[in-house]
């Protein structure tokens, strides 16, 4: 599961959960793989990304040093920043582990990079 996906996931469908965001990451296997750099895509997706959440997720996977703490105001034209954002969003992957609801501590397993966010009947 790429960190871009993690940035968009929430557990607010669980009964009595108001936000369910951001999900905590408990990683067993993390993989870094090269993905073709597309600066146009990255510059368009950045405004939709919760940057603080991305930094926390990168830290939980041991890759915070790869990422600037804040977004520069001119991020669209800052190639160095776009490359670092690309790396964090698309190249760092959680292969096996758990996503944890911050409000209920409910664990959602991630197996082979696929998060299982299905709820039990009593959680709906």
């Amino acid at each position: 599961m790429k960190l871009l996906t993690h940035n968009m996931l929430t557990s607010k469908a669980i009964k009595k959960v108001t936000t369910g965001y951001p999900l905590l990451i408990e990683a067993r296997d993390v993989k870094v793989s090269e993905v073709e750099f597309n600066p146009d895509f990255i510059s368009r997706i950045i405004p939709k990304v919760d940057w603080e959440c991305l930094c926390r997720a990168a830290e939980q996977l041991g890759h915070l040093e790869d990422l600037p703490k804040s977004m520069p105001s001119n991020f669209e034209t800052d190639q160095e920043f776009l490359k670092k954002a690309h790396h964090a969003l698309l190249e760092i992957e959680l292969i096996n582990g758990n996503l944890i609801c911050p409000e209920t501590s409910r664990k959602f397993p991630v197996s082979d990079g696929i998060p299982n966010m299905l709820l039990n009947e009593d959680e709906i």
Side-chain angles (χ1 to χ4, degrees):
M1 179 190 70
K2 297 183 185 305
L3 293 186
L4 176 59
T5 303
H6 171 265
N7 202 270
M8 310 282 172
L9 292 176
T10 178
S11 60
K12 72 178 179 182
I14 298 175
K15 197 184 320 181
K16 297 183 182 173
V17 170
T18 55
T19 309
Y21 182 86
L23 296 170
L24 305 172
I25 300 175
E26 187 179 78
R28 284 191 301 279
D29 300 315
V30 177
K31 178 174 121 181
V32 178
S33 53
E34 195 170 316
V35 174
E36 185 179 343
F37 177 58
N38 181 340
D40 291 332
F41 173 75
I42 297 300
S43 62
R44 286 190 200 116
I45 200 73
I46 289 289
K48 296 173 176 74
V49 170
D50 179 333
W51 194 257
E52 187 178 318
C53 173
L54 177 63
C55 289
R56 251 190 319 248
E59 181 178 33
Q60 290 169 353
L61 297 182
H63 288 273
L64 183 60
E65 73 280 353
D66 302 341
L67 201 57
K69 294 268 186 200
S70 61
M71 274 193 300
S73 57
N74 65 335
F75 69 85
E76 299 96 337
T77 57
D78 186 339
Q79 288 295 305
E80 183 69 24
F81 171 78
L82 291 175
K83 286 180 182 178
K84 288 179 178 182
H86 163 84
H87 175 70
L89 289 167
L90 300 175
E91 295 184 336
I92 301 170
E93 290 186 72
L94 173 63
I95 302 301
N96 293 301
N98 292 302
L99 300 176
I100 305 169
C101 174
E103 295 174 46
T104 65
S105 299
R106 160 64 150 92
K107 292 185 179 186
F108 298 95
V110 177
S111 300
D112 296 324
I114 301 169
N116 180 348
M117 302 292 293
L118 295 174
L119 299 175
N120 300 318
E121 269 189 50
D122 62 334
E123 295 175 306
I124 300 173

